[in-house]
Amino acid sequence: METPITRIPRGDQRPVVALVAHDRRKDEMVEWALYNKGTLSSCTLYATRTTGLTLQSSIETPIHLLLSGPMGGDAQLGALIAEGRIDVVVFFWDPLTAQPHDVDVKMLLRLAVLHDIPIACNRSSADYLVSSPLFAIPEKYREDRNRAGPNYAPWARYRPHGRG
């Protein structure tokens, strides 16, 4: 018997965007969010705590705050991705600084790819995502993922070595 999965309510046309930035990338995230303030104001936003608090005062848009990343916020966000409750992740991670919660960072990246959630890790890719005409129609992608069920990523199934 399959476990029921919490999904974004049908008919919700607002893209659900998760925002995360490591400490050395928070200023860049604020600059990016200010530049895209109009677009982000039409989204439902989630963010890890420190990132969210920094952004709230800058963009004046409501943000659902999770725990800070090292205190479990990355894991909370991973759960939201696995439950199908996030449409896009903007994660400005710091590739030059070792993170004490590096396993959580890798888990977040892995889950976004596994569940076919677009993830931007720098300003250029984030700009491409939010400026795409597809960004404004998240319902189509939610339906595709929901229709496919829990085995959405067939390429991720285990295949023994030497077998196709």
Side-chain angles (χ1 to χ4, degrees):
M1 184 166 131
E2 292 182 20
T3 306
I5 297 174
T6 306
R7 299 265 183 216
I8 300 167
R10 289 184 83 58
D12 186 354
Q13 297 300 314
R14 295 169 58 94
V16 181
V17 179
L19 304 169
V20 183
H22 285 158
D23 289 343
R24 291 180 40 170
R25 305 281 311 269
K26 284 196 183 3
D27 289 343
E28 183 181 5
M29 175 66 81
V30 169
E31 289 173 11
W32 176 82
L34 285 170
Y35 183 80
N36 291 288
K37 184 176 179 178
T39 301
L40 294 176
S41 68
S42 66
C43 300
T44 300
L45 302 176
Y46 285 83
T48 50
R49 185 167 182 79
T50 311
T51 300
L53 291 173
T54 303
L55 289 170
Q56 274 182 335
S57 62
S58 300
I59 64 172
E60 301 169 355
T61 299
I63 299 173
H64 300 279
L65 298 177
L66 305 172
L67 296 171
S68 71
M71 299 303 292
D74 294 336
Q76 284 181 304
L77 181 51
L80 291 173
I81 291 169
E83 291 178 349
R85 296 175 60 195
I86 300 293
D87 293 315
V88 170
V89 176
V90 177
F91 183 10
F92 289 2
W93 60 280
D94 183 352
L96 299 177
T97 303
Q99 301 296 323
H101 62 294
D102 191 54
V103 293
D104 297 330
V105 171
K106 288 178 181 172
M107 172 270 311
L108 190 56
L109 296 169
R110 184 182 69 79
L111 286 172
V113 172
L114 179 65
H115 291 279
D116 200 31
I117 302 300
I119 184 166
C121 297
N122 58 41
R123 188 174 182 151
S124 295
S125 57
D127 284 338
Y128 271 89
L129 275 178
V130 300
S131 64
S132 168
L134 302 175
F135 181 78
I137 54 169
E139 185 66 21
K140 168 73 173 105
Y141 292 92
R142 291 176 195 156
E143 287 175 12
D144 288 347
R145 285 192 295 266
N146 286 341
R147 184 175 23 253
N151 295 322
Y152 180 68
W155 54 267
R157 292 188 193 125
Y158 175 74
R159 290 190 177 97
H161 293 290
R163 295 186 184 178

